[in-house]
Amino acid sequence: MEHLYEHPSFSCIGNSASMLEIDHDNREVYVELMQLQVDPPAIDTMQPSAEAVAARLTSPVMTTYLDTEKIAFER
C-alpha cells in the first residue's frame, strides 16, 4: 500500500514527493520534485578529494546567530 500525504504546498506518494513554493507578489509557483533513490551510490564514490578536505580543515569556523524574538514579516 502506498502512503499518500497531501498538503496545499507538499504532496507525497510512494517514493516521490513534490514541494510547491508560491510567490504571491510575482504570481509564480516553483515546483521541486524529489524521489527516493532505490540504489544509493557506493560509499567509496562519495569520498571527498584531498584538496576539498584541506580546504575544509583550513577554513575558519563560522557561526550565525539569529535572534528569533526580533523577526518581523511584512507584506
Side-chain angles (χ1 to χ4, degrees), residues 34-72:
M34 299 165 276
Q35 189 161 0
L36 183 65
Q37 284 186 328
V38 177
D39 297 322
I43 192 73
D44 58 343
T45 63
M46 299 175 66
Q47 295 294 324
S49 67
E51 293 83 17
V53 173
R56 180 72 177 152
L57 291 174
T58 57
S59 299
V61 176
M62 299 181 82
T63 303
T64 302
Y65 174 75
L66 180 64
D67 188 0
T68 57
E69 293 181 13
K70 296 181 180 179
I71 293 178

